[in-house]
Amino acid sequence: YNKDVVIIDGREIPIIVDGNVNPSPDDYYDSTKESSRSSWIQLVGYDRFNVFVETNYYNNNSANLTDFFNKFEPRFIAMEQETGWSSEEFTGNKLNIYVEGLSGCAFGGWAIPSEAHLLISDPLYRPDCNRSGGIGELEDNQWPYISVAIHESTHSISPISIYVRPWLTEGFSEYNEYNVLSNYGDLSQETANNYIFQGDSLYN
């Protein structure tokens, strides 16, 4: 972690970092040290993943976090079904999701196999983080957060052959985050296509 890479099959592969956030290698290391778990609160009740929330962020957002992961869970399961992938299949471990907050309208995170790290705004569901286009259960200030969680989770459960190809892994994660929401009825396919098309040169 302190070299900004993860070792996969004996090769050093960059940790995938997404969004308008730029965590340092110290963030990677501290977030995954066993001794740092005392600063995390585990949310229980999710069959397909574990959730750990940084204590201060949890204290500021506990009700919204419960709402968020209750809505994320069925969409994550839909994503697993659509891709045919799971964390257990490719790493032998259940997916761990870590959540920390940032000031401002922030959507992003980073990922390694079997770990998704979400760095999102504090408070969660900021009204100034709205993106138009929601048509289902998720409101316009909710679906962008869910889409980021789908994106990082896609990285974390991807087969190694996908993960190690940056253009492919970003392209598919971007494609997947919007199409899962479209297939679930949260966005129209037209809206999903529009956001996919707006992807930057890393993945369009």
Side-chain angles (χ1 to χ4, degrees), residues 32-57:
T32 53
K33 281 194 309 187
E34 194 66 31
S35 62
S36 73
R37 291 288 176 86
S38 61
S39 65
W40 301 88
I41 293 176
Q42 183 172 4
L43 306 185
V44 297
Y46 304 104
D47 292 335
R48 298 300 306 126
F49 49 80
N50 301 311
V51 181
F52 302 93
V53 183
E54 190 275 325
T55 300
N56 291 331
Y57 191 72

Side-chain angles (χ1 to χ4, degrees), residues 167-179:
W167 180 86
L168 184 58
T169 193
E170 282 301 341
F172 185 70
S173 293
E174 188 76 7
Y175 173 87
N176 200 39
E177 69 175 292
Y178 298 114
N179 278 316

Side-chain angles (χ1 to χ4, degrees), residues 14-193:
I15 293 171
I16 295 173
V17 180
D18 292 303
N20 57 345
V21 295
N22 187 25
S24 72
D26 288 340
D27 293 324
Y28 306 136
Y29 185 64
D30 290 344
S31 294
T32 53
K33 281 194 309 187
E34 194 66 31
S35 62
S36 73
R37 291 288 176 86
S38 61
S39 65
W40 301 88
I41 293 176
Q42 183 172 4
L43 306 185
V44 297
Y46 304 104
D47 292 335
R48 298 300 306 126
F49 49 80
N50 301 311
V51 181
F52 302 93
V53 183
E54 190 275 325
T55 300
N56 291 331
Y57 191 72
Y58 175 82
N59 291 338
N60 293 341
N61 296 280
S62 57
N64 279 340
L65 282 163
T66 299
D67 177 76
F68 176 85
F69 281 104
N70 287 346
K71 290 175 177 173
F72 171 71
E73 182 179 37
R75 291 159 177 85
F76 176 80
I77 292 170
M79 185 266 283
E80 286 186 310
Q81 292 170 344
E82 288 181 30
T83 61
W85 300 341
S86 72
S87 181
E88 292 91 338
E89 180 179 357
F90 295 110
T91 68
N93 300 308
K94 190 174 180 179
L95 177 65
N96 289 325
I97 301 174
Y98 298 87
V99 184
E100 297 178 72
L102 294 173
S103 61
C105 187
F107 304 102
W110 56 276
I112 62 172
S114 78
E115 287 185 15
H117 294 254
L118 305 180
L119 302 171
I120 51 182
S121 64
D122 190 359
L124 177 59
Y125 296 159
R126 286 172 62 113
D128 59 327
C129 292
N130 279 17
R131 289 184 183 174
S132 62
I135 59 173
E137 175 189 18
L138 303 180
E139 299 175 12
D140 284 350
N141 69 332
Q142 295 179 342
W143 75 258
Y145 293 93
I146 299 287
S147 74
V148 168
I150 293 170
H151 184 109
E152 297 305 329
S153 298
T154 300
H155 287 319
S156 299
I157 71 168
S158 295
I160 299 304
S161 58
I162 303 295
Y163 179 93
V164 298
R165 291 172 170 81
W167 180 86
L168 184 58
T169 193
E170 282 301 341
F172 185 70
S173 293
E174 188 76 7
Y175 173 87
N176 200 39
E177 69 175 292
Y178 298 114
N179 278 316
V180 166
L181 293 179
S182 174
N183 293 341
Y184 205 83
D186 300 311
L187 300 175
S188 69
Q189 189 61 54
E190 181 181 14
T191 298
N193 291 346

